[in-house]
Every structure is written in structure tokens, then in C-alpha cells.
Amino acid sequence: MHEDPAGDRAPEDHMGEPGGPLRHSPFHLGFFGALGALVAFWLGQQVLALGGTIMLIVVAMFLAAGLNPVVEWFTRRGLSRTWSLVAVIGVVLGALTLFVAAIVPVITDQIAALTDNAPGWLDQLQGNERVQALDEQFQLIEKARDYVANGDFASAAFGGVVGVGLAVFSALVNTFIVVVLTLYFLASLDKTKDALYRLAPASRRDRVTRLGDRILANVGAYVSGAFVIAVFAGVTSLIFLFIVGLGQYAVALAFVVALLDVIPMIGATIGAVLVTAIGFATDPVIGLACLVFYVVYQQLENYVIYPKVMARSVDLPGAVIVIAALAGAGLLGVVGALLAIPTAAAILLLTREVFVRRQDAR
């Protein structure tokens, strides 16, 4: 074998000079582009399939961030963080217990009252001239009796009861999961924050830490403001219910209204519907008074009290608070309304501290 002049290899072993990089054909680009789109679609389907679980985790993290200022308050009073966590956990579990103890007797008593009064209401309907005329024309009462006597009614009612029971059971399970996750996130919040902050580059870690702590502080301030509004709604309802003649259930209903009022915009509506329904079941005049009171109070809370309190708590304009709450409720219902305001505060903070400052530096 003979060496080439450069002494690298024999001429017969030389395979030629390498060419330039190949240009990808449209087929190559289309194939891998379509493959990437399919993978992205599959990942999106998996995220949607886990949407319920992800939502529970997000709610638990939000509640943990909201309760953390209470833990820090106990810590500043001389308690260790462990005992501060125990105190906060006791308060949370106590509030849940009081909620169940308050709502169950009211519902039981009102269902019994409705059951006792239903026959009398049916007799009144049968004695009404308009109802008698409709019954003669369409045989409404006879059709209702035939429907009740039909075997399909029993199966449909049983299926409805089973469906309601499963929904209640699912809600209880989700509530238990959220409570457990909230307590877990609350206990490990400092370690979780440190681990997340370390993912940022060292040159920007201090700024990321400051922004993250400010966002968590805004969440805590939001929870404090929501608590103030809920207490105001509960006290106002308590006074009104004693005046209107529902003193027997005033404390329980006021407590329920206060808890439901934590949900922005729609929580007050849920509480108002519940109290008004019980008022109509007790006395139509009381029910009408409840309807008028809560319609007026809800407008006052949604557009006067809530924006003012939240503007001080999370430093947001009143219009932004109302728009964020309505948009969150429209997108994700109760959970969206609960998360909308602190999310809007976080977005506004990041826009002001990152985007606007970068624009000012140009």
C-alpha cells in the first residue's frame, strides 16, 4: 500500500471530501412538523384528562398561600412554625365542622316543613279556579297521578337520588383531597418556595425571589380581604334575619352566608338563594323581604364594598377587580372566581416590574 503525499492514508482508502449540509426537503419538514403536532395534541389531551386533578392542586396551593400569613402571624407571636401550623389546622378543621353542623339542621328542618305543608299546598291548588280550568282542559292532575303510579317514575326517581348521592360523595371526596393537600403545601411552603426559586439563574434569583414573595403576599392579602367581606356579610345577614322573623335559624344561616361569601361575585348569590328559599318556605312575606334585601345587598357588595376592600388588599383598580372576577367565573366557575383576583394582581405586578421597566430602559 502506498501513502498519499499528506501521509494520512493510502490513496485507495481515501473516500473523498465531505459535502455541505443537506437541505431538508418539504417532505422532511412536513413529516416532522406533523409528528410534533401529533405529540403536542396528545400531551394536550393528557392535560385535559387530568384537568380535575390539576384544578384541585391549584386550589390547594392557593389556599396554602392564603393561610401562610396566618402561620407567620402566630410565628411572630413567639410560636414555632410547627405549633403555628397546628393552630391554623385546628382553625380550618373547626370552621369546616361548624359549617356542617350549621347547615345540616336547617336543611333537615326545612325538608320536614316542606313535606308537612305539601298536601295543603296541593289542596289549595286544586281549589283554585284557574287550576281547575286547566285541569278540565288538559287533565293535569290525572296525568300527574298516572306518572307517579307508573313504574318508570320510581326508577327515574331512584336514578336521580343515586346521581345526587354520587355528586355529593364526589364533592366530599374532592373537599377532603383539597384540605389534605392544603395542609401539606402549607407545612412545606418554605421548602417548596426555595426549590422553585433555585430553578432561576443565579444572576436573577434575587429578583425572582422578591417577585415570588410579593405574589404570595398578595394572595395572603386577598384572603384577608375576603375574610373581612365575609364577616361583614355574615353580621349583616344575622341582624336582618333577626329583624325579619327568622331568628330560629339566624345564626346558622348567617354563618353559611359568611362562608359562601368568600367566593367572589357568585358566592353572595348562592347564599341569597338559600336564605330566600328558606324564607319562602317559612312565610311568603319573609321570603319576599329576603329577596329584596339580598338583591340590594349584593349590588352594594359587588360594586362598592368588594372593589374598595380588594383595592386596598391587592392594589388593584376597582374595575379590574370586577372584570377579573366576572371573567374567572365565566371561564372556570367557582374556582375561576376564587383564583381570578390574585391571578390578576400577579399578572399586573409582573407586567409593571418586568415589561414596563424593560420598556422604560430602552
Side-chain angles (χ1 to χ4, degrees), residues 234-282:
V235 172
T236 306
S237 297
L238 181 67
I239 296 173
F240 168 76
L241 292 173
F242 272 115
I243 293 175
V244 82
L246 285 176
Q248 181 181 0
Y249 307 121
V251 176
L253 291 178
F255 184 77
V256 172
V257 168
L259 281 182
L260 292 175
D261 203 74
V262 174
I263 306 171
M265 298 298 172
I266 60 176
T269 302
I270 298 174
V273 170
L274 176 63
V275 176
T276 303
I278 293 176
F280 273 111
T282 303

Side-chain angles (χ1 to χ4, degrees), residues 126-156:
Q126 290 178 342
N128 186 279
E129 295 180 359
R130 181 61 177 170
V131 174
Q132 290 178 354
L134 291 174
D135 182 56
E136 292 177 357
Q137 183 176 359
F138 300 105
Q139 294 81 38
L140 296 177
I141 296 178
E142 183 177 354
K143 290 180 179 179
R145 288 174 179 171
D146 292 341
Y147 177 73
V148 173
N150 192 354
D152 294 338
F153 171 77
S155 61

Side-chain angles (χ1 to χ4, degrees), residues 106 122-123 139 150 167 184 189 203 208 218 242 256 297 306 312 339 356:
V106 175
L122 182 59
D123 293 338
Q139 294 81 38
N150 192 354
Y184 174 78
L189 185 61
S203 59
V208 170
N218 284 342
F242 272 115
V256 172
Y297 177 79
Y306 204 93
R312 295 182 179 180
L339 302 178
V356 174

Side-chain angles (χ1 to χ4, degrees), residues 27 32 184 192 282 327 332:
F27 174 80
F32 282 98
Y184 174 78
T192 303
T282 303
L332 297 175

Side-chain angles (χ1 to χ4, degrees), residues 64-149:
L67 291 174
N68 188 59
V70 183
V71 176
E72 294 179 350
W73 184 86
F74 282 113
T75 304
R76 290 194 297 268
R77 297 301 183 275
L79 286 178
S80 64
R81 184 168 179 85
T82 301
W83 284 109
S84 300
L85 288 170
V86 171
V88 173
I89 291 171
V91 171
V92 172
L93 295 180
L96 291 175
T97 303
L98 287 176
F99 175 77
V100 174
I103 192 64
V104 170
V106 175
I107 294 177
T108 303
D109 292 344
Q110 292 304 314
I111 289 177
L114 290 173
T115 304
D116 294 339
N117 295 330
W121 294 338
L122 182 59
D123 293 338
Q124 292 177 7
L125 287 176
Q126 290 178 342
N128 186 279
E129 295 180 359
R130 181 61 177 170
V131 174
Q132 290 178 354
L134 291 174
D135 182 56
E136 292 177 357
Q137 183 176 359
F138 300 105
Q139 294 81 38
L140 296 177
I141 296 178
E142 183 177 354
K143 290 180 179 179
R145 288 174 179 171
D146 292 341
Y147 177 73
V148 173

Side-chain angles (χ1 to χ4, degrees), residues 1-337:
M1 298 177 63
H2 302 283
E3 295 291 335
D4 62 2
D8 294 329
R9 63 182 68 185
E12 58 269 21
D13 293 334
H14 186 68
M15 300 298 174
E17 297 295 331
L22 294 175
R23 292 184 178 181
H24 296 304
S25 65
F27 174 80
H28 179 276
L29 295 176
F31 176 79
F32 282 98
L35 184 61
L38 289 175
V39 172
F41 177 78
W42 179 81
L43 291 175
Q45 293 294 108
Q46 304 312 306
V47 171
L48 291 177
L50 296 174
T53 302
I54 294 174
M55 191 59 62
L56 294 179
I57 295 173
V58 170
V59 171
M61 294 179 67
F62 166 78
L63 294 177
L67 291 174
N68 188 59
V70 183
V71 176
E72 294 179 350
W73 184 86
F74 282 113
T75 304
R76 290 194 297 268
R77 297 301 183 275
L79 286 178
S80 64
R81 184 168 179 85
T82 301
W83 284 109
S84 300
L85 288 170
V86 171
V88 173
I89 291 171
V91 171
V92 172
L93 295 180
L96 291 175
T97 303
L98 287 176
F99 175 77
V100 174
I103 192 64
V104 170
V106 175
I107 294 177
T108 303
D109 292 344
Q110 292 304 314
I111 289 177
L114 290 173
T115 304
D116 294 339
N117 295 330
W121 294 338
L122 182 59
D123 293 338
Q124 292 177 7
L125 287 176
Q126 290 178 342
N128 186 279
E129 295 180 359
R130 181 61 177 170
V131 174
Q132 290 178 354
L134 291 174
D135 182 56
E136 292 177 357
Q137 183 176 359
F138 300 105
Q139 294 81 38
L140 296 177
I141 296 178
E142 183 177 354
K143 290 180 179 179
R145 288 174 179 171
D146 292 341
Y147 177 73
V148 173
N150 192 354
D152 294 338
F153 171 77
S155 61
F158 181 75
V161 170
V162 172
V164 171
L166 291 176
V168 171
F169 178 75
S170 177
L172 292 176
V173 171
N174 290 339
T175 302
F176 176 77
I177 292 173
V178 169
V179 170
V180 172
L181 288 177
T182 299
L183 300 180
Y184 174 78
F185 289 143
L186 186 61
S188 60
L189 185 61
D190 289 340
K191 294 181 179 179
T192 303
K193 287 194 306 180
D194 294 340
L196 292 177
Y197 293 156
R198 288 181 66 86
L199 297 177
S203 59
R204 300 185 179 182
R205 192 169 297 160
D206 179 67
R207 181 162 169 75
V208 170
T209 301
R210 293 176 183 271
L211 290 174
D213 289 342
R214 176 65 66 84
I215 291 174
L216 291 177
N218 284 342
V219 174
Y222 166 75
V223 173
S224 301
F227 176 77
V228 171
I229 296 172
V231 170
F232 185 80
V235 172
T236 306
S237 297
L238 181 67
I239 296 173
F240 168 76
L241 292 173
F242 272 115
I243 293 175
V244 82
L246 285 176
Q248 181 181 0
Y249 307 121
V251 176
L253 291 178
F255 184 77
V256 172
V257 168
L259 281 182
L260 292 175
D261 203 74
V262 174
I263 306 171
M265 298 298 172
I266 60 176
T269 302
I270 298 174
V273 170
L274 176 63
V275 176
T276 303
I278 293 176
F280 273 111
T282 303
D283 190 327
V285 177
I286 295 177
L288 183 60
C290 292
L291 178 63
V292 174
F293 170 79
Y294 279 108
V295 167
V296 174
Y297 177 79
Q298 186 171 358
Q299 303 308 311
L300 180 66
E301 180 184 289
N302 288 346
Y303 300 105
V304 179
I305 301 174
Y306 204 93
K308 286 188 176 181
V309 173
M310 286 303 167
R312 295 182 179 180
S313 299
V314 295
D315 191 21
L316 280 178
V320 175
I321 292 174
V322 174
I323 293 172
L326 292 175
L331 290 174
L332 297 175
V334 174
V335 176

